[in-house]
Amino acid sequence: MPARTWRQARARIAAATVVAALVAGCAGAGGGGSGPNTLNVLMVNNPQMIDLQRLTAKHFTRETGIKVNFTVLPENDVRDKISQDFANQAGQYDIATISNYEVPIYAKNQWLRPLDDYVAKDTPFDQKDVLEPLTASLTAEDGRLYAEPFYGESSFLMYRKDVFAEEGLTMPARPTWRQVADLAAAVDGARGDMKGICLRGLPGWGELIAPLTTVVNTMGGTWFDADWTARLTAPEFLRATAFYVGLVREHGQAGAAQSGYAECLNNLTQGRTAMWYDATAAAGSLEAGDSPVKGRIGYVRAPVDRTSESGWLYTWAWGMQKASRNPGNAWKFISWASGQRYEELVGAELGWASVPAGKRASTYRNPAYLRDAAPFAAVTRDAIESADPADPGTQPRPAPGIQFVGIPEFTDLGTRVSREISSAIAGRQSVREALEKSQELAGRVAEEYRK
């Protein structure tokens, strides 16, 4: 590490982040009316959250008398809106879905209300039941807990077992990326216009950059080395990116440069792709009762190259805005939505495969859940518990994170780099050209940390 420590640098950069977010936050509002028995919740539009929205009035509001107004947006949009609203601290939204990336930064900026006191008084919530990697990732440098997971995830490879069987192909339990590329070529076109694999190509630090960075890690690359030197044009980063771009261009989905999590989920569900590398949370949708591919999907650990593991660690979690005027009711909602009772409710009403899992040890002892989630339960938990945000690759690095770099600038840097790489996926420039431009962007960030 350089003389200026990571903690000191983040504190300085966080101040700049507040100013930028306050400027951006002048644009408009939403969320509905606020009152003592009303909560405004801002959340991502993932399937598990849509289920929650459907169940809240019938159960949470009926039990507590607390009305919940939801604002639901796509991932890239919701991140922007959350950072704007929480930076303003106007209390427009009481709760938002944030991740283990945002928690340390938001906590440092004093945008979040710590939850330790609420947890201590809420014995049925049972914090010890929450998987330790998630609790650790939602605890800030001050040792306090600032969010509770709605679901936890790592990443893994999903594939059509029936199509592989028809083609006489075998998926290894721990595949390498080279094996995945060979299998994608072999299965491409197996059924009509079915493609070999789906990979995110949609710009966004939480879209394309997430899976790509895990490939970079396992192939020996890193965004920055331990001395804050940008490494995006290093041979390892170049090799990994060229591999990813080449794979999706040769055997990936049509319109890959506009495909993110939602589009790849739809492609696998609708039989337009034979494989998909992405979040373990997708399995619940694939195995839902109304899924056309229920029972046809196999799940194996994230592909590797030079490392023994490569899956990411991520959680969509509930963070309470420090300026919320209804913190007691906000905790009631968080406790309900992240609690074991909510999982049981989803299991009873929507099916156990749809439970927002990956967060509680008790889930993995529940016979009903294990019966319905048998295809993916064990591999999901193993992937979550083996993820190491402090050491995800082959070389030391100056900031934590597996599929992201845990610094405030990464939202902007990752998104700008993703646009360059997405352009390479679309064939508008070469991978080398994309990374040369990206190296310049990363170098500017690195200079600030070396001062």
Side-chain angles (χ1 to χ4, degrees), residues 249-273:
R249 281 180 58 81
E250 293 172 20
H251 303 297
Q253 71 277 18
Q258 289 79 46
S259 295
Y261 174 88
E263 290 76 18
C264 283
L265 174 60
N266 187 59
N267 281 349
L268 188 57
T269 303
Q270 299 303 319
R272 292 195 288 269
T273 188

Side-chain angles (χ1 to χ4, degrees), residues 113-199:
R113 187 179 293 266
L115 303 180
D116 305 80
D117 290 345
Y118 298 101
V119 169
K121 296 174 183 176
D122 190 349
T123 303
F125 182 76
D126 191 6
Q127 186 69 40
K128 292 182 180 179
D129 187 41
V130 177
L131 297 177
E132 192 278 334
L134 300 186
T135 296
S137 73
L138 299 174
T139 300
E141 289 180 347
D142 62 7
R144 292 190 288 182
L145 183 69
Y146 283 92
E148 291 290 358
F150 182 50
Y151 63 81
E153 66 178 44
S154 184
S155 53
F156 58 17
L157 184 68
M158 297 155 274
Y159 69 100
R160 284 287 298 270
K161 294 186 297 183
D162 54 340
V163 175
F164 270 56
E166 290 171 7
E167 298 297 313
L169 301 172
T170 300
M171 173 64 74
R174 289 176 172 265
T176 66
W177 272 112
R178 183 68 264 162
Q179 289 171 324
V180 170
D182 291 342
L183 289 168
V187 80
D188 199 347
R191 290 188 179 180
D193 60 355
M194 176 180 281
K195 304 303 294 182
I197 194 167
C198 199
L199 296 169

Side-chain angles (χ1 to χ4, degrees), residues 194-257:
M194 176 180 281
K195 304 303 294 182
I197 194 167
C198 199
L199 296 169
R200 300 190 202 185
L202 182 69
W205 73 271
E207 283 283 0
L208 163 61
I209 292 302
L212 172 62
T213 301
T214 69
V215 180
V216 169
N217 291 337
T218 195
M219 291 192 175
T222 182
W223 284 70
F224 303 98
D225 67 18
D227 294 320
W228 285 110
T229 299
R231 300 285 295 167
L232 278 72
T233 51
E236 299 88 353
F237 205 112
L238 180 60
R239 174 186 170 233
T241 307
F243 174 86
Y244 188 99
V245 171
L247 180 57
V248 76
R249 281 180 58 81
E250 293 172 20
H251 303 297
Q253 71 277 18

Side-chain angles (χ1 to χ4, degrees), residues 372-432:
D372 285 9
F376 60 87
V379 67
T380 296
R381 182 173 183 176
D382 288 347
I384 290 171
E385 295 191 330
S386 63
D388 185 359
D391 186 22
T394 64
Q395 54 187 298
R397 52 200 67 205
I402 300 177
Q403 75 277 27
F404 56 77
V405 182
I407 57 175
E409 299 92 339
F410 195 71
T411 53
D412 178 63
L413 173 62
T415 297
R416 293 174 72 182
V417 170
S418 74
R419 293 181 187 133
E420 299 298 338
I421 297 172
S422 184
S423 177
I425 291 174
R428 293 191 291 270
Q429 64 179 334
S430 70
V431 170
R432 183 172 292 278

